[in-house]
Amino acid sequence: ARGNTEYEYSLVPVINNVEGNLNTNSVKSEFDGFYFIENDVVFRAFVNLQLSHQRNQMGNTISTLGNKYPFYITNGANSYDSGQLTATFFDIGLDNEITEENAWQFRQAVDDFLSNGNPKILKNDEGKMWMIAIVDNIPQDFSQHWNMPIHTITWTEIGDCENVDDLYDNNFIDIDSRLIR
C-alpha cells in the first residue's frame, strides 16, 4: 500500500454460491520513512533520508545540414525512474527503542538484503512507490556514528508496483494471473 493513501475494500460473504450483503470499509495507509520490501522481508529507514530521482527516457538529437534546429528521435516507450537514496537503518525493538546491542548483526542483515540481487519495492510515507533493482555498490559512511552508517543506495525502476503480472514476475506474489481464466 502506498503511504498517505486511502484505500477502500469490500468483503462479500458467499454461502452455497449465494452472495450476501456487501461490506465496504476504508483505511488510510500512514507510516514514516522509507521501506524496502521483498516478498517476506521488510527493512525500514527513517533517519538521514535524502532521495533524488529522475525520469528516464531514451532519445537522440540529430543535427542536419541546412536546419537551424535538430531533429529529436525517440525509439521506444522507455519511461522509468531511477535514483539514489541515502538512509540510516536502525534495529527497532518492540518498544520502539533503538537496539545498539549486536547492531553489527542487524547491519549485516541489511547489507545482505540490499545486495542479494532480488527486486524490491521502495516506498515512502509521501506515497511514492517503485519496484526497483539496486544497481550499484552500496557505500556506507560511518562519519556520524561508528555503529549507525549512512547507506547510499542507487536504484532503477524495473516494473509497476500495481501491476499483478510485474508483481508475479518479480516474486512479490505467488499467483500468476495469466494462468487464471
Side-chain angles (χ1 to χ4, degrees):
R2 290 183 184 273
N4 196 32
T5 303
E6 189 162 324
Y7 290 92
E8 186 175 277
Y9 61 94
S10 297
L11 298 174
V12 180
V14 177
I15 299 174
N16 296 328
N17 292 328
V18 176
E19 291 185 6
N21 294 330
L22 179 69
N23 183 6
T24 302
N25 289 306
S26 62
V27 62
K28 185 165 186 182
S29 175
E30 294 180 305
F31 53 84
D32 291 324
F34 281 80
Y35 285 78
F36 285 87
I37 303 163
E38 284 184 13
N39 188 333
D40 56 353
V41 181
V42 176
F43 281 98
R44 175 182 175 217
F46 61 95
V47 175
N48 297 321
L49 299 173
Q50 203 167 32
L51 172 69
S52 62
H53 63 89
Q54 65 188 17
R55 176 59 51 102
N56 300 286
Q57 61 178 2
M58 303 307 271
N60 291 307
T61 304
I62 301 172
S63 297
T64 59
L65 296 174
N67 286 326
K68 180 178 178 180
Y69 300 103
F71 290 107
Y72 179 74
I73 298 173
T74 181
N75 294 321
N78 280 340
S79 181
Y80 62 93
D81 289 347
S82 63
Q84 192 170 69
L85 174 69
T86 59
T88 299
F89 294 86
F90 289 109
D91 188 8
I92 303 293
L94 295 174
D95 55 0
N96 275 341
E97 294 292 323
I98 295 172
T99 305
E100 280 196 69
E101 185 177 326
N102 298 319
W104 68 271
Q105 291 173 325
F106 177 76
R107 282 198 319 271
Q108 183 68 41
V110 169
D111 293 344
D112 290 347
F113 171 79
L114 293 174
S115 62
N116 67 12
N118 295 336
K120 297 174 182 13
I121 291 177
L122 170 61
K123 66 180 185 175
N124 72 0
D125 49 17
E126 180 184 59
K128 293 183 179 188
M129 187 166 67
W130 301 273
M131 185 180 300
I132 66 166
I134 295 175
V135 295
D136 207 351
N137 296 328
I138 305 166
Q140 298 177 38
D141 175 3
F142 288 86
S143 64
Q144 292 192 9
H145 191 281
W146 67 273
N147 209 15
M148 297 174 195
I150 300 171
H151 288 73
T152 300
I153 301 157
T154 305
W155 55 270
T156 297
E157 185 176 27
I158 60 168
D160 181 352
C161 296
E162 296 176 335
N163 180 294
V164 176
D165 295 334
D166 286 352
L167 290 168
Y168 175 77
D169 292 341
N170 289 287
N171 297 317
F172 290 104
I173 60 175
D174 297 326
I175 298 189
D176 187 352
S177 68
R178 295 166 286 207
L179 299 176
I180 301 171
R181 296 288 173 223

